[in-house]
Amino acid sequence: MGEAVNILAICGAAHKSRNTATMLRNAFDGAMSVSGASGETVYLYDLNFKGCVGCHSCKLLEEKKFARCAVRDGLTPVLAKAIDADVLLIGSPIYFSDITGETRSFLERYFFPGLTYNKDRVPVYPKRPKVGWVFTMNAPGEFYKDFFAGLVSMTSRMIGEAEYAIAYQTQQFEDYSKYAATAFDAEMVKRRHIEQFPRDCEAAFEMGRRLAERGRQPTLD
Ligand SMILES: Cc1cc2nc3c(=O)[nH]c(=O)nc-3n(C[C@H](O)[C@H](O)[C@H](O)COP(=O)(O)O)c2cc1C
């Protein structure tokens, strides 16, 4: 008997080579380093989709509708993959003290069909994946720790055991002198990008590896 682990990384950042996507790539590489791992990364900004439209089709007590999102758009195949994942890695920069709109829209479409309004509130998806969040932001890390804890706790309740990795006081521009951005200490940000960001990426790699180890499923072969 072997072991397999199905990894899905969801990138909720607009740019594929900046802070969030880079950290998420490290988390994904960490997860993929585990034996039996297979997976892919989906970039939400490449897709054409909307958040939950509140049609309530997923709450209908009909086999073909219950626990499925009835909206058909660019997110439809991604939702099927997320439901089948053993490890889900989700990356978002912090925009206005929250995750990006695209990440939020993904969560609405993923979370809502996976819960009922029944008294017991038992999650209905067949798997309970391990979830690793990746957040990057300009503010110091402790600024949003209650927000991260809240999101992680909601994810753990609705989807599966979750944790997070962060990079804070990230480098937003290469050359701060070209932008209206005097509030930033450009030297400090640059130094952190060179010295701290690689360590944050290592922590993300380690988180991915750890979650994939824990998410491994036995196979029959
Ligand atoms: C529209 C917008 C809103 C932002 N809001 C916040 C914020 O509320 N708090 C914060 O710490 N950083 C904020 N930032 C900064 C980003 O979170 C930070 O630079 C992040 O690392 C960017 O990720 P990226 O490099 O993957 O694009 C904001 C950036 C943008 C573009």
Side-chain angles (χ1 to χ4, degrees), residues 162-182:
E163 56 178 282
Y164 67 91
I166 62 169
Y168 61 88
Q169 291 174 319
T170 55
Q171 179 171 267
Q172 198 164 0
F173 319 114
E174 287 245 343
D175 182 352
Y176 277 72
S177 69
K178 289 186 179 161
Y179 296 88
T182 52

Side-chain angles (χ1 to χ4, degrees), residues 73 90 102 162 165:
D73 62 14
I90 314 170
E102 276 67 12

Side-chain angles (χ1 to χ4, degrees), residues 13-15 18-21 93-98 136-139 144 167 170-172:
H15 297 274
R18 291 199 197 161
N19 298 290
T20 314
I94 296 302
Y95 277 11
F96 299 103
S97 306
D98 211 323
T136 79
M137 72 221 81
N138 284 350
Y144 298 115
T170 55
Q171 179 171 267
Q172 198 164 0

Side-chain angles (χ1 to χ4, degrees), residues 120-195:
D120 55 16
R121 291 233 157 201
V122 173
V124 294
Y125 288 148
K127 288 185 171 179
R128 296 282 281 160
K130 310 290 176 217
V131 183
W133 279 98
V134 166
F135 304 113
T136 79
M137 72 221 81
N138 284 350
E142 64 274 13
F143 223 77
Y144 298 115
K145 71 177 188 333
D146 293 344
F147 170 70
F148 300 148
L151 199 52
V152 160
S153 142
M154 182 169 71
T155 311
S156 299
R157 239 181 12 256
M158 292 189 188
I159 299 300
E161 191 189 328
E163 56 178 282
Y164 67 91
I166 62 169
Y168 61 88
Q169 291 174 319
T170 55
Q171 179 171 267
Q172 198 164 0
F173 319 114
E174 287 245 343
D175 182 352
Y176 277 72
S177 69
K178 289 186 179 161
Y179 296 88
T182 52
F184 293 106
D185 178 344
E187 279 311 307
M188 178 275 288
V189 166
K190 191 171 191 171
R191 202 169 51 247
R192 278 188 67 80
H193 191 69
I194 294 166
E195 292 169 9

Side-chain angles (χ1 to χ4, degrees), residues 8-210:
L8 181 67
I10 304 275
C11 185
H15 297 274
K16 293 179 187 166
S17 57
R18 291 199 197 161
N19 298 290
T20 314
T22 305
M23 257 189 94
L24 184 65
R25 202 167 300 123
N26 275 271
F28 182 73
D29 289 347
M32 292 295 282
S33 72
V34 163
S35 79
S38 60
E40 66 175 298
T41 299
V42 170
Y43 294 90
L44 293 179
Y45 280 74
D46 285 348
L47 307 177
N48 192 359
F49 69 100
K50 288 193 164 37
C52 177
V53 296
C55 69
H56 304 141
S57 173
C58 63
K59 303 284 166 281
L60 283 169
L61 294 168
E62 292 175 34
E63 203 187 325
K64 289 200 169 138
K65 296 190 172 163
F66 179 68
R68 289 169 202 224
C69 182
V71 175
R72 293 281 167 268
D73 62 14
L75 200 64
T76 304
V78 180
L79 292 174
K81 287 174 189 172
I83 290 166
D84 193 42
D86 302 309
V87 174
L88 196 60
L89 303 166
I90 314 170
S92 177
I94 296 302
Y95 277 11
F96 299 103
S97 306
D98 211 323
I99 51 180
T100 59
E102 276 67 12
T103 313
R104 178 86 204 173
S105 291
F106 161 73
L107 280 195
E108 290 173 4
R109 297 271 301 279
Y110 177 50
F111 279 1
F112 197 54
L115 59 91
T116 69
Y117 288 136
N118 289 342
K119 284 181 188 153
D120 55 16
R121 291 233 157 201
V122 173
V124 294
Y125 288 148
K127 288 185 171 179
R128 296 282 281 160
K130 310 290 176 217
V131 183
W133 279 98
V134 166
F135 304 113
T136 79
M137 72 221 81
N138 284 350
E142 64 274 13
F143 223 77
Y144 298 115
K145 71 177 188 333
D146 293 344
F147 170 70
F148 300 148
L151 199 52
V152 160
S153 142
M154 182 169 71
T155 311
S156 299
R157 239 181 12 256
M158 292 189 188
I159 299 300
E161 191 189 328
E163 56 178 282
Y164 67 91
I166 62 169
Y168 61 88
Q169 291 174 319
T170 55
Q171 179 171 267
Q172 198 164 0
F173 319 114
E174 287 245 343
D175 182 352
Y176 277 72
S177 69
K178 289 186 179 161
Y179 296 88
T182 52
F184 293 106
D185 178 344
E187 279 311 307
M188 178 275 288
V189 166
K190 191 171 191 171
R191 202 169 51 247
R192 278 188 67 80
H193 191 69
I194 294 166
E195 292 169 9
Q196 183 58 41
F197 189 62
R199 290 186 206 130
D200 297 333
C201 287
E202 274 171 35
F205 183 98
E206 202 38 50
M207 179 181 77
R209 196 196 57 71
R210 199 168 50 240

